[in-house]
Each structure stands twice: as C-alpha cells, then as structure tokens.
Amino acid sequence: MEPILISPLIIIAVVFVVYRQMQRRPTAKRGILFTATAMIVVGIASGGAVDPRHLALSLCLVLVEAVIAVALGVWRATTVRVWLDDSGVSWSRATAWTMLVWLASIAIRVGLYFAGGALGLELSTGGILLFVGLTIGAQAYVVARRGRALSSMDRRPDTVVG
C-alpha cells in the first residue's frame, strides 16, 4: 500500500483505539486483540519492515522496535484502571497516565522511524503497522490478564478454620 494512503489509516486506528480505552469496557472482550493481530499481519505482508539492501541492520532495528513496542504496551497496561463490579465482572478504563504513556510511545516510534532513515534504511509504513499492532496487542493482553486475575481472586473460596 502507498504510504500516503496507509498513514491516515494508522492515525485513525490509533485514535480510535485510544478513544475506546478511555471508555469503561469489560476486560474480557477480545476484539482489540483481533485488531492488533490484523495490524501485525498487514504490517508484515505489506513488506518494507526489512530493507533488503541493509538486511542485518534492518533486522536489528525491527527486533529493537518489537521489544520496545511490547514493553511500551505492558507499561501502558499498568496505568489502566482495572476493577470488579458488584456482579464480579472485570472492567477497565485508561487514565491520564495512560495518555501520557501513549504520547511517549508515539514519540519513541517517531524517533525510531527517523533513526532508521538516518541509518540509511528505506522507510515504510509496514514497520509502523507492526509496531502499533504489537504495542496495542501487548497492552490489551496484559489488561485482560489483570482482569482475569481480579475475577479469579474474587471467586476463591474462603479458607475454612477448624
């Protein structure tokens, strides 16, 4: 896909995901994981994540980007508020801290994008989709695990004394 076409779609997707995170949502929903997986698949399938002219360097950069994307997703997930309602259903909602970490994530990704260009690598939107998919997926997975942990703690039987 042409960068001029895919770039606005990436921005729209990120804005939509962040908007949805600011809403109260059950943690058991898996739709965001499908979205993240689709972004990862399209990012890889569209090509350009690896520059064949500088294979070793671009593979190292993709690996660094993947590790950073997952780490930022996990970090954001720790800033999301997760709680149980009266019926034992776990819910989540992003906080102001989540928004700050989103801004840091975007700044870091832009920095990595330009670092690749400065190293002489061909820039592509496939790498951006891969990064965004990984970071969104990592965050959604950790938030869902936190919700399941709360739910399982709520259902533990009390210890019997005597």
Side-chain angles (χ1 to χ4, degrees), residues 78-93:
T78 63
T79 67
V80 173
R81 181 173 175 247
V82 179
W83 72 96
L84 290 177
D85 66 10
D86 293 335
S87 64
V89 175
S90 61
W91 295 83
S92 68
R93 185 175 189 177

Side-chain angles (χ1 to χ4, degrees), residues 21 27 29 32-33 36 73 77 135-145:
Q21 289 177 3
T27 61
K29 290 208 170 189
I32 191 65
L33 290 174
T135 198
I136 289 171
Q139 180 182 350
Y141 176 76
V142 172
V143 167
R145 284 206 51 169

Side-chain angles (χ1 to χ4, degrees), residues 30-127:
R30 295 189 177 142
I32 191 65
L33 290 174
F34 295 121
T35 303
T37 302
M39 292 176 116
I40 293 167
V41 169
V42 171
I44 292 170
S46 67
V50 176
D51 185 349
R53 296 175 302 142
H54 305 92
L55 189 58
L57 180 61
S58 64
L59 283 173
C60 285
L61 186 60
V62 166
L63 181 61
V64 167
E65 288 176 351
V67 169
I68 290 172
V70 171
L72 288 168
V74 170
W75 183 21
R76 276 194 320 276
T78 63
T79 67
V80 173
R81 181 173 175 247
V82 179
W83 72 96
L84 290 177
D85 66 10
D86 293 335
S87 64
V89 175
S90 61
W91 295 83
S92 68
R93 185 175 189 177
T95 64
W97 288 110
T98 312
M99 297 307 300
L100 287 173
V101 181
W102 260 115
L103 292 174
S105 299
I106 292 167
I108 289 168
R109 180 58 187 116
V110 168
L112 289 169
Y113 185 81
F114 287 116
L119 292 171
L121 299 175
E122 188 172 330
L123 305 176
S124 77
T125 53

